[in-house]
Amino acid sequence: MPPPADTSLACSPPDGGWGWAVVFGAFISIGFSYAFPKGIAIFYKEIQDFFGTSYSEIAWVSSIMLAATYGGGPISSILVNRYGSRPVVIFGGLLCGIGMVSAAFSASIFQLYICGGFITGLGLALNLQPSVIIIGKYFLKKRPLANGLAMAGSPVMLCTLAPLNQLLFDHFGWRGSFMILGALLLNCCVAGALFRPVGPTGKQADAKAKKADGGIVEMADPRKEEKDDKDCCEKFNKFLDFSLFKHRGFLIYLIGNVLMFLGFFAPIVFLAPYAKHIGIDEYSAAFLLSILGIVDMIARPATGLIANSKWVRPKIQYFFSFSIAFNGACHLLCPLAAGYLGLVVYSVFFGLAFGMVCAMLFETLMDLVGASRFTSAVGLVTIVECFTILLGPPIGGTLIDTFGDYKYMFIKCGAVMVLAGTFLFIMNYYNYQMLAKEEKAKKKEEVENQDDGHIRTHMITEQEDATNAEKVQDGHETVPLKSEEEGLKNTADSSSV
């Protein structure tokens, strides 16, 4: 789930107009960022044969690319805050293109790690975060619709890239395909060019101009520079709020997700190579990823509607736990699939489970930490998760190398995800129970404080009544004496006259 729109902007989001061009650009950049690391798995069998590498060694390409995409998120966000979304995305698209073109000339698997893995992955990270952020600046009321359209780029691009990559390989080989894909990634530069900064309205611009004209030029003040440095530190601390590690719900979410990502991406990376391994032709193997992407495209909005219902919304963490466990169950049953039809059925259920998890991945985090701490939570989560994202596919590849069979990789991924879903279900139940107890104790304390307040108020009222009674009593005694004194004084005056 992307961070909320910044309501402190100098101008209000237009909620339309050029914003729809921005959504189109985000559709392209987000689609490449999420789908590209999965789509290039089409080439792995041939690259493995070319370099004579093992399954675990070739899996590092996708792992490094995914880890760089996720781990580079905080860097991307910092650059966006400094330079804006447009230049960051343009630079990211250029970096992606350079990375893939350079990968086409790789003479070793290590060079492929650097060029195709790290450089391309970092470029994808510079595409992803700015695209999410710019939508929040252009849309407020229509933001869910805009985000939904932009995020649809991921499954749409996966459906397109899988058969396209196989077609490119048949005509140009993996080196020529990498060069063409590098040129395609340069379209992210075009998408970034659409991210025009949101400017102030005419009245706001005039006000700023008048303020600038009427301002007084001041000399540099060291105290001001010190304050600016302090503000920068505060902004950085706000972006990475380490106090979240004391948040019970956040820790439960983080541990469950770190465990989940050990088995989340490996089945996608090895699905097409597995199909080729059992004798399925290349285009049919690539079409399995297209099936997965189509079902994913339908599953995400459907899951969002279910999760937003009044029955599921209050306990959305349970639904998220079920989705992860369901994903794992699909992988555990995959070795039972016989032939191409069995893999098609597996791809359908895998796409459904994958879409369910992705649809709620960030929504559940916001449900736990709240909107105000969501951006910081996402930054910390992506930094920690990138390590297990990096290790997941190579571990699966090692199992394939060791046993010479893909089924152990699927069983490992399935078991890990079922374990993660079970852990989250149990710990979220514990968290809900603790929250209920804390809320009950808080209400009890408020009632006690309210009762104490009533008692104090009653005592003060009684004291005030007693004081007033004394004052009234004193008044009745002194008035007659005063009248008598005045009468004697008047009598004396009259006698003297």
Side-chain angles (χ1 to χ4, degrees):
M1 179 68 67
D6 187 2
T7 55
S8 62
L9 295 171
C11 60
S12 59
D15 267 318
W18 186 258
W20 298 116
V22 172
V23 169
F24 177 71
F27 177 92
I28 296 173
S29 57
I30 290 175
F32 274 119
S33 299
Y34 278 124
F36 195 81
K38 307 161 193 171
I40 62 168
I42 297 295
F43 303 103
Y44 283 175
K45 188 73 171 62
E46 289 72 21
I47 295 175
Q48 182 184 354
D49 295 338
F50 183 86
F51 286 112
T53 60
S54 63
Y55 285 100
S56 59
E57 288 175 326
I58 195 65
W60 279 102
V61 179
S62 279
S63 294
I64 294 171
M65 188 181 297
L66 286 166
T69 302
Y70 277 76
I75 299 174
S76 179
S77 296
I78 292 171
L79 290 175
V80 170
N81 290 334
R82 180 66 179 86
Y83 301 104
S85 292
R86 176 186 275 177
V88 175
V89 174
I90 292 175
F91 178 69
L94 185 63
L95 203 61
C96 290
I98 292 174
M100 287 306 295
V101 171
S102 301
F105 297 95
S106 297
S108 66
I109 192 67
F110 180 75
Q111 293 178 9
L112 198 61
Y113 293 159
I114 300 299
C115 299
F118 180 74
I119 296 177
T120 304
L122 185 58
L124 294 176
L126 298 181
N127 282 329
L128 180 60
Q129 292 284 356
S131 302
V132 172
I133 293 171
I134 193 70
I135 291 176
K137 294 182 178 179
Y138 265 93
F139 292 89
L140 184 60
K141 295 179 180 179
K142 298 179 181 178
R143 194 180 67 205
L145 174 61
N147 277 323
L149 292 173
M151 290 297 178
S154 173
V156 170
M157 202 69 74
L158 181 60
C159 296
T160 306
L161 281 176
L164 175 64
N165 287 348
Q166 188 60 53
L167 181 66
L168 291 175
F169 174 77
D170 290 342
H171 288 83
F172 305 102
W174 70 268
R175 291 187 185 273
S177 300
F178 275 23
M179 294 186 69
I180 295 172
L181 289 174
L184 286 176
L185 285 170
L186 292 177
N187 283 291
C188 293
C189 299
V190 180
L194 297 174
F195 293 171
R196 187 170 64 193
V198 182
T201 60
K203 293 182 179 180
Q204 291 167 337
D206 293 339
K208 284 188 176 182
K210 290 179 181 178
K211 185 176 180 181
D213 292 338
I216 300 174
V217 178
E218 296 180 357
M219 299 296 290
D221 188 355
R223 290 176 296 179
K224 185 176 182 299
E225 294 178 358
E226 183 179 350
K227 182 177 181 299
D228 292 339
D229 294 338
K230 185 178 179 181
D231 291 341
C232 291
C233 292
E234 289 177 352
K235 288 180 180 178
F236 184 78
N237 290 333
K238 183 179 179 182
F239 183 75
L240 293 177
D241 184 6
F242 290 99
S243 67
L244 282 166
F245 287 107
K246 298 179 181 179
H247 191 288
R248 184 175 59 243
F250 175 78
L251 287 176
I252 293 171
Y253 176 91
L254 183 62
I255 294 171
N257 276 32
V258 166
L259 186 61
M260 177 194 73
F261 275 114
L262 281 173
F264 192 61
F265 287 115
I268 300 180
V269 172
F270 288 110
L271 178 58
Y274 172 53
K276 294 178 183 179
H277 177 76
I278 62 176
I280 296 173
D281 66 275
E282 290 84 355
Y283 283 94
S284 297
F287 188 63
L288 292 174
L289 290 176
S290 297
I291 295 172
L292 191 151
I294 293 170
V295 177
D296 181 15
M297 195 187 314
I298 300 171
R300 293 195 189 201
T303 302
L305 291 174
I306 296 172
N308 201 42
S309 65
K310 62 180 181 179
W311 300 281
V312 178
R313 183 70 181 175
K315 303 293 182 181
I316 193 174
Q317 302 297 333
Y318 291 150
F319 191 33
F320 181 56
S321 305
F322 166 77
S323 301
I324 295 174
F326 175 54
N327 203 316
C330 293
H331 303 325
L332 288 174
L333 296 175
C334 179
L336 300 178
Y340 185 68
L341 181 60
L343 287 181
V344 168
V345 175
Y346 165 72
S347 299
V348 170
F349 281 96
F350 183 18
L352 175 62
F354 189 84
M356 290 172 66
V357 174
C358 291
M360 292 185 294
L361 193 61
F362 292 128
E363 178 62 31
T364 49
L365 179 58
M366 182 178 286
D367 178 71
L368 289 169
V369 302
S372 61
R373 306 175 77 183
F374 176 71
T375 303
S376 180
V378 170
L380 292 173
V381 165
T382 52
I383 290 173
V384 177
E385 286 175 350
C386 71
F387 294 103
T388 50
I389 291 171
L390 181 66
L391 295 175
I395 292 174
T398 302
L399 291 173
I400 298 172
D401 293 329
T402 303
F403 297 100
D405 197 335
Y406 280 79
K407 70 178 181 180
Y408 296 102
M409 183 275 300
F410 286 105
I411 292 172
K412 183 273 297 184
C413 294
V416 165
M417 295 199 69
V418 169
L419 179 62
T422 305
F423 168 82
L424 284 173
F425 188 90
I426 295 172
M427 295 307 296
N428 281 319
Y429 174 78
Y430 166 76
N431 189 38
Y432 278 130
Q433 294 297 315
M434 292 299 295
L435 289 173
K437 289 182 179 179
E438 291 167 1
E439 184 67 20
K440 186 176 179 181
K442 184 179 179 181
K443 288 182 179 179
K444 183 178 179 181
E445 184 180 354
E446 289 177 355
V447 170
E448 290 176 353
N449 292 335
Q450 189 175 5
D451 291 341
D452 291 341
H454 285 311
I455 293 172
R456 292 193 193 98
T457 304
H458 184 65
M459 291 176 64
I460 292 171
T461 304
E462 288 181 347
Q463 291 176 357
E464 290 178 350
D465 291 342
T467 304
N468 292 334
E470 290 177 0
K471 288 181 179 179
V472 170
Q473 187 176 1
D474 293 341
H476 286 302
E477 291 177 355
T478 55
V479 169
L481 292 173
K482 186 176 180 181
S483 302
E484 184 177 354
E485 288 176 358
E486 290 179 353
L488 292 173
K489 183 178 180 181
N490 292 334
T491 305
D493 292 338
S494 60
S495 301
S496 64
V497 172

